[in-house]
Amino acid sequence: MHPTPTHNVPPTLSIRIDEQNPNHHLWLNHGWWWVHYVVHRGNRKERIRRSLQTRDLDAARHKRDELFARVRAAAAAPSARPAPADCAGPSRTPHAA
């Protein structure tokens, strides 16, 4: 039996929100803020780590929230499959500005 292909399965965001920690899913790596989360596609899961390309904590929180909203919207509208950049984005270290 062949496994079901997951490339057409809309992403489902798997996050745990800790109301006591506004920086949940964020970490500081050499002065740059990054986000990490898990996306489920069918029976597969993908751990994603993405640079938020900012050194500012408030901006990082805002970008994290926008990213999670886009992934949730993609899951709610399976016919509008997001581009990979909408869910995963670049995972390279940004250059200093």
Side-chain angles (χ1 to χ4, degrees):
M1 176 155 73
H2 297 288
T4 304
T6 59
H7 60 277
N8 288 327
V9 176
T12 302
L13 188 61
S14 176
I15 61 171
R16 294 183 185 145
I17 302 297
D18 181 357
E19 299 295 333
Q20 302 298 318
N21 181 6
N23 299 336
H24 198 65
H25 296 283
L26 297 175
W27 90 93
L28 189 62
N29 186 10
H30 298 286
W32 294 96
W33 285 101
W34 288 66
V35 63
H36 60 94
Y37 58 99
V38 175
V39 171
H40 292 269
R41 294 181 190 274
N43 62 349
R44 299 190 58 153
K45 63 183 175 180
E46 179 181 5
R47 179 187 276 167
I48 298 174
R49 292 181 170 102
R50 177 183 179 191
S51 171
L52 295 172
Q53 300 183 358
T54 184
R55 293 178 180 266
D56 180 75
L57 177 57
D58 289 332
R61 289 175 180 159
H62 182 73
K63 288 181 174 196
R64 172 204 56 199
D65 295 343
E66 285 182 338
L67 173 67
F68 288 172
R70 284 195 311 268
V71 175
R72 283 189 185 110
S79 61
R81 188 170 164 232
D86 288 344
C87 294
S91 60
R92 60 181 169 72
T93 303
H95 298 287

